[in-house]
Amino acid sequence: MQHTTEEILHQIYLFSSFSMDELAKIAEKTKYKVLEQGDAVYQEGNEAKAFYVVMYGTLKILTSTEKGNDVNVTTIATGDHFGEFPFLDQGKRAGTVEAMERCELLEIPFEHLQHILDSDKELALKFYKGITTYLVKRMRLLTHDLAYARELKKRYS
């Protein structure tokens, strides 16, 4: 069964509180992209112009060390999203994202999203509340992981 772009966006926590009419505004300029295994969505250091929702597939996020070695930061899959941080801070891409298999993505242009949020303050509040909740969860997980890593280091040092 095919889902509309609005239905797919509604499943993402960032947009779960949006109405279908509000989602239709975002879907207006959202693009469907297909990647094959090994294709890069973007490279570390690139200018950021969009963020992505994974409709299907698995991707890996890599970053480079000072010595030039690639480090796999995380793996993302169907239902996840990525690339939203530069929307918040206008920074460059912090990593490279590559398809591990055939992937289907939705690409949401920053410029379009910013225009929508600037013109509808209630929608902006919903979006920023959603992203804040997500970032807090990520920070809590990171704090937990760091505490665990420190404990392991103490035990085995």
Side-chain angles (χ1 to χ4, degrees), residues 86-101:
F87 179 76
L88 301 171
D89 70 2
Q90 292 74 49
K92 301 272 186 198
R93 295 296 186 192
T96 298
V97 179
E98 292 180 2
M100 298 174 70
E101 61 183 334

Side-chain angles (χ1 to χ4, degrees), residues 65-132:
T65 65
E66 288 181 14
K67 294 181 181 180
N69 299 322
D70 284 339
V71 176
N72 188 357
V73 176
T74 192
T75 301
I76 51 180
T78 303
D80 290 333
H81 64 86
F82 62 94
E84 72 280 2
F85 284 2
F87 179 76
L88 301 171
D89 70 2
Q90 292 74 49
K92 301 272 186 198
R93 295 296 186 192
T96 298
V97 179
E98 292 180 2
M100 298 174 70
E101 61 183 334
R102 184 180 185 280
C103 295
E104 298 176 26
L105 307 175
L106 290 178
E107 179 183 72
I108 303 170
F110 287 166
E111 189 175 298
H112 176 63
L113 181 60
Q114 189 64 61
H115 174 73
I116 291 168
L117 297 179
D118 287 346
S119 64
D120 187 332
K121 299 305 178 199
E122 285 186 35
L123 202 58
L125 181 61
K126 287 181 188 181
F127 177 81
Y128 289 117
K129 186 175 180 181
I131 208 157
T132 301

Side-chain angles (χ1 to χ4, degrees), residues 1-40:
M1 181 170 119
Q2 289 282 351
H3 293 283
T4 66
T5 300
E6 292 86 348
E7 290 170 336
I8 293 165
L9 291 174
H10 191 66
Q11 294 174 21
I12 306 302
Y13 78 90
L14 286 175
F15 304 115
S16 63
S17 65
F18 287 31
S19 71
M20 286 300 162
D21 286 341
E22 292 167 335
L23 291 170
K25 293 178 187 178
I26 294 167
E28 214 172 75
K29 297 210 176 158
T30 297
K31 299 173 189 156
Y32 173 77
K33 292 185 78 152
V34 175
L35 301 173
E36 298 301 331
Q37 183 178 1
D39 288 350

Side-chain angles (χ1 to χ4, degrees), residues 147-157:
Y148 181 71
R150 285 189 187 126
E151 186 61 33
L152 285 177
K153 185 176 179 183
K154 283 183 199 175
R155 286 184 192 174
Y156 298 106
S157 294

Side-chain angles (χ1 to χ4, degrees), residues 43-60:
Q43 300 287 329
E44 185 173 354
N46 286 160
E47 183 180 347
K49 295 183 179 185
F51 78 95
Y52 302 84
V53 174
V54 183
M55 293 173 57
Y56 173 80
T58 308
L59 302 102
K60 59 184 172 182

